[in-house]
Structure formats: C-alpha cells, structure tokens
Amino acid sequence: MASTVDLNVFSSVPALQSNLGVLSPDQIELAKILLENGQSHLFQQWLGLGVDDKEKLAFFEQIALLNSSYPGGLASYIKTAKELLADSKVGKNPYDGFSPSVPSGENLSFGDENFIKMEKRGVVEARNAAFVLVAGGLGERLGYNGIKVALPRETTTGTCFLQHYIESILALQEASNKLASDESQRDIPFIIMTSDDTHSRTLELLELNSYFGMKSTQVHLLKQEKVACLDDNDARLALDPKNKYRIQTKPHGHGDVHSLLYSSGLLHKWLDAGLKWVLFFQDTNGLLFNAIPASLGVSATKQYHVNSLAVPRKAKEAIGGITKLTHADGRSMVINVEYNQLDPLLRATGFPDGDVNCETGFSPFPGNINQLILELGSYKEELQKTEGAIKEFVNPKYKDSTKTAFKSSTRLECMMQDYPKTLPPTARVGFTVMDIWLAYAPVKNNPEDAAKVPKGNPYHSATSGEMAIYRANSLILQKAGVKVEEPVKQVLNGQEVEVWSRITWKPKWGMIFSDIKKKVSGNCEVSQRSTMAIKGRNVFIEDLSLDGAVIVDSIDDAEVKLGGSIKNNGWTMETVDYKDTSVPEEIRIRGFRFNKVEQLEKKFTQPGKFSVED
Ligand SMILES: O=c1ccn([C@@H]2O[C@H](COP(=O)(O)OP(=O)(O)O[C@H]3OC[C@@H](O)[C@H](O)[C@H]3O)[C@@H](O)[C@H]2O)c(=O)[nH]1
Ligand SMILES: [Mg+2]
C-alpha cells in the first residue's frame, strides 16, 4: 500500500484524489508516475467516485500497458519526448556536426561467379538464421483495406506475400538442412511483428491456411503496442477525443521490433540452439528472396555484424539513402538517412542541389530496402545494454511559426534500421548493393499517387510490384539460357510498365541461380504473350517452345520434363480501372486482370518420370 506521505502528491489533483478508493496499489503507483511527469491534466475531467468507475479502471489498464511496453516506462517516454520536442522547436538538425559522404560496400551482380559463390554460402548459412517480418503497418499510402501480406504477390497463381515468404523460408530450410555437416534437421524460426491493426487478420490468414506448410510452432507473432500521443511541447499526453478516460495512441514505427525481440526471450533460445543470424524484412517486397541467399553469404564471408541490403536509388525516391556520416570529432558511422531527411542534410552540408542524381542517373547514395541481416551474438549483446530501445524522433506538424501548438497530436517514432546508431565504432557495419530488377519491388503506393511519380522513378505500386516479378523471372531464365521474348510497354492505372511473359515458380523449384540453371536445358523459348506457372519441385524445362499458357504441378517424387512445342490461346490481359468498384480491390489496384482463355494444365500426383508435351 502507498504510504500516507506518498499520497500527498494527490492533494493538488482533487479529481484524482477523490477516486483513489477504486484504484489498486499498483494503479496508485502509476498515477504517481503520471503526476510526477506533468500529466495531472489527464484527470481534470474525471467525475467523482462511483461515476464511470469502470472507465477509470480501464484508463489505468491502458496506462499499465503503455508503461510496460516501453523500455524505461512512461516516465522515460515523456522525458525523451520533452527533449526531442525541444530540439524540434529550435529546429535542431539531428545530424548536427556530421557531414555525409558516399560509403563503400559490397556490390553484387546477378549470375556472376562471385554472386553464385555468395548464394551457395548463403544456403549453407540459412539454417543458422531466424527470419523476422515487420508487418504492423497499416499501409496508409496504399490505401488497401486488408492486411498487406494477404495481397497476391502476383495474380497468375494468386499466391499472397505471406505464403510466398513462408514457402521461401521452407525451401531455404530444406536446402540448408541437406548441406548440414552433422545431418541434423533444424526448423528456421519465423517471427512476425504485428500490431492491433494487423494482428488478428494475420493470425487468421495463417490458421485458415495451415500456416502455409510451416509448423505452427515455428511461427511466433509478436504484437507491438502503440504509444501515447502528445498534445504540446511539454509532452502532455493527449486524451482520446472520444473518451476522456482514454489516452490517444498511434504507431511507434517498425523500430519496436528490437525491444519486442529482446523481451520475448527468443534471442537467448536462438543462441542456445546455435543460430547466428537474424534477418529482418518488410511486408510487400515480392523480389526479396531473390536477394537473401547471396546477401546472407556476404554477411557470413565478411563477418558483418550489420548488413543492410540496398539497390541503386533514384534521387527523391521514397527509400532511405545509406550514408557515411563523419562527425567533426572524428566519429563516423554508416547509417540509413531517411528519404525525407536526406535532401535537407545535403543542403545543410555544402551540397546546394540536395538530393539529386549523379552522372550514373542515380543518387550517389545506395537506397536502403530495409532488409537487415544482424549477427545474433553481437545483436544480443547490444540489446542487453539498450533493452532494444532505438533512437527515436518526433515529427510534429506545427500550427504556426511560433511552434507552440500542433495541428494534431504527435508521438515519438522509431525505425528498425536505426539500430546501428548505438553500436560501438568497432562494429562491422556494411551493406550489399544488388540490381533493382532482382531485389526490390515494394507495393506501397495507391494507383493515383503512383501515376504521379516523376518519370523514371519506380512506382512502388501493385501494378509495378507484380510486373517486377515477371520481369525478374524472365531475366533470370534469360540468363539461364532461355530465349524469353522482349517485353511490351503498356499503360496500366496511368503507369507505363514493361509487360514480360508471366513466368512464376514456387520457391522450392529454384531458390538460387545454380539450381535454376540445372532445371533448364536445350533450346528453349517463351513468347511475350505466354504464361508459365511451375508449381512442382522436379520440373525440368528442356527444349521447350511456349506460346500460350502452361501450368505444371507435381509431387516431389514425380520428375517432369516440360518440353516440346506448346501453343494455345493462353491468358490475355484485360485492363481494369482502379476506380471500378465492381472489381475486387486487390485486382483493381493493379489495373489489369487475366482472361484465362486457354491453357495446358498438368498435375502429377504419382511418383515416376513424366513429360509434358503438347
Ligand atoms: O509501426 C509500424 C510501422 C511500419 N511497420 C512495418 O514496417 C515496414 C515498412 O513500413 P513502410 O512501408 O511504411 O515504410 P516506408 O516506406 O516509410 O520506409 C521504409 O521502407 C523503405 C526504406 O527505404 C525506408 O528506409 C524504410 O523506413 C512495413 O512492413 C510495415 O508493415 C510496422 O511493423 N510497424
Ligand atoms: Mg511509412
């Protein structure tokens, strides 16, 4: 029980004092924390004992959650908020004293000797990795009503992002376990960070689909909590406009993943199990797993503590720039500078043109695709010091130049890629640059905004995201020796895109280039209007001439030769307007749908050797 002396703090807040009788000792402690941190306004409108008592208890339940889900609790949140709001008010540059330069890192080029070597090394390492998907965001820019991981990655097979991610991890797991020197079998852990906005729908998607073939014990959902909103520069917490017994909350950002992993106890378990790597990735990059094996190989070869995946970046593109920041006092770090900060930073440090392309036609700063590979041992050590807290920022929209009032409440935010900011100078922080066509095609923008993207910059839309899958698969097969016809240009939802043959395959068919090459032989050609979906593991493309649509599915014990001349009317593409609400949302945001006129579809459910020929 709180002592009488302690209770004196309440005498200046009669509305709270008169209600102490309904509160538990723990709740009284929380009330004290609030008062000590300048939050007495929260109780101003409280009614007397006996009125709304349930709501008052619910208020303290929320306070308890806000307090326990933030490293250092609410007191620490409010203290940091005051500091950051004061910095923001005087316009302090977060990079004060640092000058930016272009860092050097690993450059991989698809299909060459080094790339193939890195991919093979990556597969060996995969069983020592845990995968972490951050999927707590609502995707406000996309404006899609469902959860983003449920969107089809491509609509030829309709496979959603989450299914593709899981099947990719399982394919890596199997390939990696085969190479294990001690023949032990490991299940790669898969963590999904959710939020109140995405949690139940993510869980439902997994359960309805039997976890897409993964063991349910292999998958862990960690839900991030929102943080309290702030009303003014004194970091007074904002009350929910609809309920005076509730604090208004907003998302804290993907940086929460570190404190959640820390408090989950999983890092400990993973170290004990002999794991070495934690790979973080985002919700809608359908090309990501093309880049994973090689970049994991780079991490292992270079013994990087931190490896960020990057692609060449167009100036002003909404992806962060990987930058070397050198301080006047000699310190330096390689870190993501977020896309809204890069231009002001450059202008403030002697680059009057800001964020512009150089002679290569790209920004000199590699673009961060927010796929991070962290070395588990050093990661756990660091989190033990920080408890997973990540450097935060605040971005208030002020009412006027006095910067005293906000247009709407703000909150602290954090980003997972800011993790290296607290690392000692001895940490090995690197990055790996790959081709855009191979590694990055996120689905973030709604059709209207995508159509307004400056010419030459990527759209990051559902349209471009799907087209990128076909382009990447076509280019990979081209490099494996298949004559895939050149694409045609088409305008879909106001965006000019290259339409390549609609080629898709399951991850187990080919995760790395050397495996794919083994599955392709002879003289093969695929016309631009063709569709090819390979769903079986042991399907061998041999002397194939395809002009139409073919779908092959087979069990692992069936060896299938896909060859000969296949010609049919195939699947045509029909344009759809994104405003046409008679078409399902996940289709109309792409601007097209398939008319499945004719196809050759074969399924092999018995062991043996077969061939698909027309
Ligand atoms: O609170 C949050 C916010 C976001 N997220 C997740 O974090 C991921 C990234 O979110 P967004 O797509 O909004 O991120 P942004 O597009 O603003 O920028 C991000 O991706 C591109 C990179 O270049 C940027 O550096 C990176 O911050 C998504 O998977 C999203 O679901 C959370 O899990 N929780
Ligand atoms: Mg965002």
Side-chain angles (χ1 to χ4, degrees):
M1 221 11 232
S3 72
T4 35
V5 181
D6 284 338
L7 289 176
N8 281 338
V9 297
F10 300 112
S11 58
S12 59
V13 192
L16 171 61
Q17 196 177 33
S18 67
N19 279 293
L20 291 178
V22 291
L23 303 183
S24 69
D26 286 350
Q27 291 172 330
I28 291 175
E29 280 308 307
L30 288 170
K32 264 178 58 193
I33 292 175
L34 289 175
L35 297 191
E36 284 161 7
N37 287 282
Q39 305 298 329
S40 58
H41 68 285
L42 295 175
F43 305 100
Q44 246 155 32
Q45 304 172 62
W46 277 37
L47 300 174
L49 193 65
V51 191
D52 295 340
D53 284 357
K54 272 199 179 142
E55 287 295 311
K56 293 167 193 162
L57 293 178
F59 171 87
F60 274 104
E61 267 167 40
Q62 187 195 15
I63 294 292
L65 185 63
L66 290 170
N67 192 52
S68 64
S69 56
Y70 186 83
L74 268 174
S76 156
Y77 181 77
I78 293 162
K79 179 170 172 276
T80 309
K82 281 185 188 159
E83 290 164 10
L84 290 173
L85 285 164
D87 286 351
S88 169
K89 190 174 177 196
V90 298
K92 188 173 163 197
N93 173 354
Y95 298 106
D96 219 13
F98 284 100
S99 48
S101 59
V102 180
S104 63
E106 274 291 299
N107 271 287
L108 291 183
S109 112
F110 178 82
D112 73 8
E113 207 181 311
N114 185 45
F115 184 89
I116 289 173
K117 196 171 104 195
M118 289 303 137
E119 276 201 320
K120 287 184 175 163
R121 179 68 195 269
V123 174
V124 172
E125 290 295 329
R127 65 196 297 276
N128 301 326
F131 284 78
V132 182
L133 166 63
V134 292
L138 256 184
E140 278 167 334
R141 278 189 278 153
L142 182 64
Y144 173 60
N145 277 311
I147 50 169
K148 289 174 76 182
V149 292
L151 275 174
R153 171 180 175 257
E154 35 77 17
T155 52
T156 295
T157 66
T159 307
C160 71
F161 282 104
L162 189 56
Q163 175 170 6
H164 175 74
Y165 294 152
I166 289 182
E167 289 180 350
S168 299
I169 294 169
L170 289 174
L172 277 172
Q173 173 182 308
E174 209 181 332
S176 191
N177 278 336
K178 267 199 196 130
L179 300 174
S181 46
D182 61 356
E183 283 168 37
S184 67
Q185 299 295 302
R186 256 190 211 157
D187 293 336
I188 295 179
F190 179 38
I191 313 307
I192 308 174
M193 180 171 80
T194 58
S195 67
D196 279 321
D197 296 327
T198 61
H199 185 82
S200 56
R201 284 178 289 177
T202 306
L203 188 59
E204 192 181 31
L205 181 64
L206 287 165
E207 297 206 317
L208 280 176
N209 293 285
S210 312
Y211 288 74
F212 297 110
M214 202 170 241
K215 293 178 190 158
S216 63
T217 49
Q218 219 174 323
V219 184
H220 297 261
L221 267 54
L222 298 176
K223 184 162 76 76
Q224 65 176 145
E225 296 300 334
K226 293 184 179 169
V227 288
C229 292
L230 307 156
D231 258 342
D232 57 27
N233 286 327
D234 293 325
R236 259 192 274 247
L237 303 187
L239 283 172
D240 184 333
K242 284 182 248 126
N243 184 346
K244 60 175 180 269
Y245 297 106
R246 232 42 117 245
I247 309 278
Q248 192 186 10
T249 58
K250 283 186 183 165
H252 189 222
H254 39 65
D256 279 346
V257 72
H258 301 295
S259 64
L260 282 173
L261 278 175
Y262 171 76
S263 56
S264 71
L266 285 166
L267 302 181
H268 220 88
K269 267 176 69 180
W270 294 344
L271 269 178
D272 284 348
L275 299 194
K276 278 196 222 148
W277 310 104
V278 192
L279 287 91
F280 295 84
F281 64 109
Q282 303 195 151
D283 49 17
T284 59
N285 180 10
L287 296 180
L288 176 71
F289 277 85
N290 290 342
I292 296 256
S295 46
L296 185 54
V298 169
S299 273
T301 313
K302 298 261 163 181
Q303 298 192 305
Y304 279 152
H305 293 143
V306 178
N307 183 10
S308 305
L309 265 64
V311 295
R313 173 180 183 276
K314 285 281 183 186
K316 303 190 176 64
E317 185 180 344
I319 67 177
I322 298 191
T323 308
K324 181 170 183 183
L325 293 175
T326 309
H327 197 270
D329 67 13
R331 275 178 295 151
S332 76
M333 60 181 163
V334 173
I335 194 82
N336 172 70
V337 175
E338 198 59 337
Y339 45 89
N340 58 341
Q341 306 248 297
L342 190 59
D343 188 77
L345 170 66
L346 290 167
R347 286 176 196 276
T349 49
F351 304 89
D353 298 331
D355 182 13
V356 286
N357 291 327
C358 62
E359 62 287 349
T360 58
F362 288 93
S363 158
F365 299 95
N368 167 43
I369 67 169
N370 241 15
Q371 155 73 52
L372 308 175
I373 305 179
L374 304 184
E375 193 271 322
L376 178 59
S378 65
Y379 180 52
K380 185 172 166 265
E381 221 170 89
E382 177 67 12
L383 293 200
Q384 229 121 35
K385 289 184 221 149
T386 61
E387 297 183 20
I390 294 300
K391 285 237 183 286
E392 293 163 299
F393 60 95
V394 69
N395 192 11
K397 309 279 183 293
Y398 297 106
K399 269 204 178 125
D400 56 43
S401 59
T402 63
K403 293 192 172 180
T404 42
F406 308 153
K407 282 188 187 148
S408 63
S409 66
T410 188
R411 85 292 196 177
L412 302 189
E413 296 176 72
C414 63
M415 302 190 294
M416 68 171 169
Q417 66 269 37
D418 280 341
Y419 163 76
K421 283 190 173 165
T422 56
L423 288 177
T426 49
R428 287 187 294 278
V429 181
F431 62 92
T432 305
V433 186
M434 280 190 229
D435 302 305
I436 302 176
W437 67 262
L438 180 71
Y440 194 53
V443 177
K444 298 196 190 223
N445 288 328
N446 63 58
E448 211 164 323
D449 292 342
K452 289 186 216 142
V453 163
K455 202 170 162 53
N457 278 23
Y459 298 116
H460 295 174
S461 68
T463 312
S464 62
E466 176 157 358
M467 288 303 145
I469 309 290
Y470 304 137
R471 179 178 52 187
N473 288 347
S474 295
L475 288 174
I476 291 170
L477 286 194
Q478 274 189 349
K479 287 185 199 277
V482 179
K483 289 187 205 79
V484 181
E485 197 182 350
E486 290 301 300
V488 297
K489 287 223 162 94
Q490 206 173 330
V491 176
L492 300 166
N493 275 347
Q495 305 151 54
E496 188 183 89
V497 289
E498 281 183 359
V499 182
W500 289 79
S501 317
R502 273 69 67 204
I503 298 173
T504 66
W505 57 75
K506 287 268 187 203
K508 66 180 174 190
W509 182 77
M511 273 306 288
I512 58 174
F513 190 47
S514 48
D515 285 346
I516 291 168
K517 279 200 293 192
K518 284 184 209 144
K519 298 233 160 115
V520 176
S521 64
N523 250 325
C524 298
E525 53 186 16
V526 178
S527 69
Q528 187 278 333
R529 65 173 199 93
S530 290
T531 298
M532 175 164 75
I534 304 176
K535 300 180 174 179
R537 180 191 304 270
N538 290 309
V539 177
F540 293 85
I541 304 175
E542 198 180 319
D543 295 316
L544 170 72
S545 166
L546 175 65
D547 184 33
V550 64
I551 299 158
V552 188
D553 196 356
S554 57
I555 58 166
D556 287 0
D557 291 334
E559 194 183 305
V560 180
K561 182 192 152 196
L562 174 59
S565 167
I566 299 175
K567 194 171 168 64
N568 56 45
N569 290 322
W571 293 8
T572 57
M573 268 173 67
E574 291 175 347
T575 55
V576 177
D577 190 274
Y578 70 91
K579 293 193 201 97
D580 181 355
T581 50
S582 70
V583 179
E585 194 181 7
E586 58 273 21
I587 299 298
R588 74 182 129 93
I589 56 174
R590 289 158 213 273
F592 67 91
R593 68 175 154 203
F594 294 118
N595 181 4
K596 302 179 179 179
V597 183
E598 191 188 3
Q599 70 273 321
L600 174 67
E601 186 164 8
K602 293 275 186 183
K603 199 167 175 160
F604 301 90
T605 56
Q606 301 297 320
K609 284 196 167 196
F610 306 92
S611 102
V612 180
E613 279 173 82
D614 221 17

